Amino acid sequence: MADALTALAARIAALPAGRRLVALAGPPAAGKSTAAETLAAQVVKLGRSAQVVPMDGFHLDNALLDARGLRARKGAPETFDVAGLLALVRGARAGGAVRFPAFDRNADAVVPGGVLTADVAIFEGNYLLLDEAPWSNLAGLWDLTVLLEVAEATLRDRLAARWRSQGLDDAGALARAEQNDLPNGMRVLHGSRAADVILTTG
C-alpha cells in the first residue's frame, strides 16, 4: 500500500498546472482519511501544494435527519447535502480560495473546516464515485479518481472495532456495523463508477 501511494502521489504531482481535483472514494473504515493525508503530504514533498477536503462536512444536521426519519441511517448516501458538496466541487474547480466544512465525530456535528487554497485538492469520502443520482452529478469534475477496495470480512471487523472504540460491547458493535455501515460500504464497492486507480487495503 505504501508503494502504491508513493506512485499515486507522483502521478498526482505530475497533473497539468492549475487547480486539480482528485476524488478518493471508498467504504467507511477503508482508510480514506489516512490515505488522503499521506497523499497530500507526499505531493507537497514533490513540490506542489495540496490539501485534503473531507466529504463528511456535508452530513445533514441531526434535527433534519430526525424530521425525515433518517437518523438511524446516518452515513447513508441520502443523509448528505449533495447539492452543497456539488457546489463546493464546482467552486474548487473554478479556482481561488474556497471555504469547506468539516465533521466533528465526537460532537456528531458539522463544524467550520478550512479554506482550500492549494493547487491540488484531494477530496475524500464514501460516495464521491457513486453511480446514483444525485451523486452522479459529480462525474466529470475530477482530474483523477481513486477507489479504495477492502474485503467484506475485513470491512466488517474494522467497522465493529470503530463502534467498540465508542464504548459498545462486541455484540452491540457488530450489530451497529451490520445494520448500517456495512450495507453502506457494500453500496460503495458495488455501486461506484470505475476509477482511474484502484487500491486494495487490508
Side-chain angles (χ1 to χ4, degrees), residues 34-83:
T34 300
E37 293 291 350
T38 299
L39 283 172
Q42 292 188 2
V43 169
V44 169
K45 287 182 179 179
L46 292 170
R48 194 158 185 182
S49 62
Q51 284 178 261
V52 175
V53 182
M55 187 197 83
D56 278 355
F58 290 91
H59 276 287
L60 290 174
D61 185 78
N62 287 338
L64 183 56
L65 294 179
D66 287 339
R68 296 181 180 180
L70 290 172
R71 182 70 169 271
R73 293 285 293 131
K74 187 166 184 173
E78 57 270 24
T79 66
F80 285 88
D81 174 15
V82 187

Side-chain angles (χ1 to χ4, degrees), residues 81-102:
D81 174 15
V82 187
L85 174 63
L86 183 60
L88 173 66
V89 175
R90 286 174 171 161
R93 172 152 294 285
V98 182
R99 292 188 178 277
F100 61 90

Side-chain angles (χ1 to χ4, degrees), residues 152-197:
E152 182 175 348
T154 301
L155 189 59
R156 180 182 286 105
D157 289 344
R158 290 182 181 178
L159 290 168
R162 176 180 287 182
W163 284 111
R164 284 197 300 272
S165 72
Q166 297 187 34
L168 295 183
D169 61 19
D170 288 348
L174 185 59
R176 287 295 294 269
E178 292 185 337
Q179 286 167 6
N180 190 35
D181 295 340
L182 190 60
N184 291 340
M186 292 299 98
R187 197 166 169 181
V188 171
L189 291 175
H190 299 299
S192 292
R193 297 185 307 280
D196 298 318
V197 177

Side-chain angles (χ1 to χ4, degrees), residues 93 136-143 193:
R93 172 152 294 285
S136 53
N137 290 325
L138 292 166
L141 295 175
W142 311 113
D143 294 288
R193 297 185 307 280

